[in-house]
Amino acid sequence: MISPFMPFISEELFQRLPRRSDDAAPSIMVTAYPDPEEFASYRDEALEKRFDFAYDIVKRIRSLRADYQLTKTKTQVTIECADEELCQLVKNFEAFILQLTNSSSLTAFVAGTQQAPAGCGIVTVSDRCRLFVLLKGVIDIDKEIARAEKKRNALQDQVKGTKDTMEKTGSKMPEAVREQNIQKIAQMETEIGHLADALQQLLAMK
């Protein structure tokens, strides 16, 4: 696999490995490339799904941290799971999640058995899992509210301006440009919705 990128090192390693048979290729340069089907038995699709779920948690936490510009500050993470099996899955990947999200601690619990701490940013991972990242005492809430409101208002102005331009131009606007504007408006409206959710969470922390 590394031969195309590190030909000299891979060739040296290949020559030092014992030959599997007398008719084996004399050099890695003329050896057939590995066939994925040969290694199909080693694939664990169930493990891949569990890892994908854990990595989705990582991405959601990192996205929330980026929203509040928490580049170096460690935060507490609490994860609400639908059942004990999912809760155990999260615990199995605890070290992985903590390392990749720069979090100080991780607590996982089954929904209904306890409550998440107050003052958290909330993110839904799926219909079976929610994240709570502690923000109270970590961020300046008033400053974040002002920043979110400013960004929301700017996006609302952009949406209005784009719609006004499309309405004034009418049929004169090229179809490709119109489609781009429609997609742009949809993206901005989605972001406005996310900001509205963030504002609601921030106001609840005051």
Side-chain angles (χ1 to χ4, degrees):
M1 298 290 287
I2 66 171
S3 180
F5 310 101
M6 305 169 67
F8 297 106
I9 293 175
S10 58
E11 181 65 34
E12 181 68 21
L13 292 172
F14 182 83
Q15 293 301 329
R16 291 174 180 268
L17 289 173
R19 289 288 186 267
R20 294 183 180 180
S21 63
D22 293 336
D23 58 350
S27 168
I28 196 171
M29 301 300 292
V30 292
T31 301
Y33 201 75
D35 184 355
E37 294 299 325
E38 294 180 26
F39 306 96
S41 60
Y42 296 101
R43 183 175 182 181
D44 188 337
E45 294 188 8
L47 177 59
E48 289 178 12
K49 289 180 180 179
R50 294 196 294 272
F51 177 83
D52 286 343
F53 183 80
Y55 190 57
D56 195 20
I57 289 174
V58 169
K59 289 188 290 185
R60 302 300 179 98
I61 296 173
R62 292 172 69 167
S63 177
L64 182 66
R65 288 175 57 84
D67 288 343
Y68 293 103
Q69 301 176 357
L70 301 176
T71 53
K72 295 182 179 180
T73 306
K74 289 184 177 292
T75 53
Q76 297 177 24
V77 175
T78 304
I79 302 180
E80 179 189 76
C81 305
D83 52 49
E84 185 59 42
E85 182 181 358
L86 189 61
C87 194
Q88 188 58 51
L89 186 157
V90 171
K91 291 177 181 177
N92 290 342
F93 284 94
E94 179 178 353
F96 168 78
I97 295 170
L98 288 173
Q99 179 68 28
L100 293 185
T101 60
N102 196 32
S103 299
S104 58
S105 64
L106 186 152
T107 302
F109 68 93
V110 178
T113 61
Q114 66 182 75
Q115 294 293 322
C120 290
I122 306 170
V123 181
T124 299
V125 180
S126 70
D127 59 341
R128 302 176 64 236
C129 180
R130 287 196 302 168
L131 301 174
F132 300 83
V133 179
L134 188 63
L135 298 176
K136 194 171 185 178
V138 177
I139 63 173
D140 184 329
I141 294 175
D142 290 331
K143 181 180 178 181
E144 290 299 329
I145 289 174
R147 186 175 70 87
E149 287 178 336
K150 181 179 179 181
K151 188 173 183 180
R152 181 195 60 186
N153 294 339
L155 285 169
Q156 288 174 337
D157 289 341
Q158 288 181 46
V159 169
K160 184 178 183 301
T162 304
K163 287 182 176 179
D164 289 346
T165 300
M166 291 175 66
E167 186 177 345
K168 290 177 182 177
T169 308
S171 59
K172 295 180 181 179
M173 179 177 288
E175 189 60 30
V177 176
R178 180 176 295 279
E179 287 297 325
Q180 289 177 357
N181 284 336
I182 291 173
Q183 292 178 9
K184 184 179 178 181
I185 289 170
Q187 290 172 356
M188 289 190 291
E189 288 179 337
T190 299
E191 190 170 354
I192 289 169
H194 290 163
L195 286 168
D197 292 339
L199 279 167
Q200 187 175 3
Q201 293 176 17
L202 288 167
L203 289 168
M205 296 178 200
K206 296 192 69 175

